[in-house]
Amino acid sequence: MATNSVSSIPNITSINLRRRNRSTGVTLSCSHEEASSLGVHLTEGEGKLPKVVLKSAHGCEAEIYLFGGCVTSWKVAGGKDLLFVRPDYAFSDKKPISGGIPHCFPQFGPGPMQQHGFARNMNWSIVDFDNVEGNPVITLELRDGPYSRSMWDFSFQALYTVKLNSKSLSTALIIKNTDTKPFSFTTALHTYFRGSVTGASVKGLKGCKTLNKDPDPNNPVEGMEDRSVFSSA
């Protein structure tokens, strides 16, 4: 698992909050107080990493770490956390957050660069936020830099929008090529849901290719799924 050698942990007070004026289309800096009034609260999270807490008028909450642009918590009103983060994960900017909704970009899984790419190892910035009928929405941005170009030599802009609704959490990731040459990529929002496996079953995978990493994570064994349905013990 690669380290993030590009930047140190930013101080909460030094983080610039930006918001687009819906009338003029102009993006301007704004205060933390203005953001809080819209249900967007910037605070210090685990490991002193900057964290955004979204709070809706309906009593729902979500937490997003700027390191990795990772949603780590989502709770509906009066409910338990619906996302899972490994309890033994030590929050730092040295390795990706293990759980929540981490980014896989510009590579999903193994390949020429590090596992799942670099987006989950970099600090994202806040470029817009709003509140729609009591539901906070925020947009984070990631751009290329020396760290990303050391693995993937392209200029890009990634915009990640998260909206907290009364009974759902919606996410949208847009990748824009800002380079002079074309590129291809793979991506995923690798969600970790919290839940009990008792009585859980999966079907529809019969005949699909499988990669078994249990014997050796670095040399997965290729196979074929032959079960119509498989369930938890």
Side-chain angles (χ1 to χ4, degrees):
M1 199 171 284
T3 60
N4 176 21
S5 57
V6 292
S7 58
S8 58
I9 300 174
N11 186 280
I12 294 294
T13 58
S14 67
I15 294 176
N16 180 34
L17 296 178
R18 290 182 286 164
R19 184 176 181 230
R20 184 169 64 87
N21 185 296
R22 298 303 184 266
S23 300
T24 64
V26 177
T27 299
L28 300 171
S29 296
C30 65
S31 67
H32 289 208
E33 289 75 17
E34 181 182 352
S36 294
S37 70
L38 296 175
V40 179
H41 308 267
L42 184 62
T43 184
E44 186 176 270
E46 298 288 337
K48 297 186 177 181
L49 296 174
K51 178 180 72 173
V52 176
V53 179
L54 302 181
K55 295 184 178 182
S56 79
H58 312 287
C60 307
E61 288 190 15
E63 297 181 358
I64 312 167
Y65 278 78
L66 297 187
F67 175 65
C70 186
V71 180
T72 56
S73 176
W74 167 40
K75 301 174 184 176
V76 296
K80 297 180 179 180
D81 206 323
L82 299 172
L83 298 179
F84 175 80
V85 175
R86 281 181 53 175
D88 60 345
Y89 172 74
F91 280 81
S92 76
D93 63 346
K94 302 304 179 185
K95 59 181 180 179
I97 294 174
S98 185
I101 312 179
H103 289 274
C104 301
F105 175 81
Q107 173 186 287
F108 177 73
M113 66 184 76
Q114 65 190 28
Q115 176 91 349
H116 293 324
F118 49 70
R120 60 183 188 153
N121 292 70
M122 298 179 68
N123 291 316
W124 294 59
S125 58
I126 301 170
V127 293
D128 196 18
F129 57 87
D130 201 359
N131 190 294
V132 181
E133 298 179 349
N135 300 315
V137 55
I138 189 170
T139 299
L140 306 183
E141 180 189 56
L142 181 68
R143 287 185 176 271
D144 57 283
Y147 176 69
S148 68
R149 283 184 169 272
S150 68
M151 291 172 273
W152 198 62
D153 193 18
F154 294 102
S155 175
F156 70 91
Q157 178 196 44
L159 291 174
Y160 183 46
T161 300
V162 179
K163 183 178 181 181
L164 180 64
N165 302 300
S166 59
K167 295 183 179 180
S168 65
L169 183 76
S170 63
T171 58
L173 177 64
I174 298 174
I175 306 298
K176 182 179 180 180
N177 185 346
T178 57
D179 212 310
T180 57
K181 53 187 182 293
F183 60 67
S184 61
F185 64 90
T186 54
T187 186
L189 295 174
H190 204 313
T191 309
Y192 291 72
F193 289 108
R194 181 182 297 275
S196 170
V197 297
T198 303
S201 63
V202 179
K203 60 183 179 179
L205 298 180
K206 185 176 181 178
C208 292
K209 175 183 175 181
T210 62
L211 292 174
N212 185 359
K213 292 187 176 182
D214 186 49
D216 183 357
N218 296 319
N219 295 287
V221 178
E222 186 173 325
M224 186 77 70
E225 180 56 57
D226 58 3
R227 293 171 291 180
S228 297
V229 179
F230 52 96
S231 58
S232 58

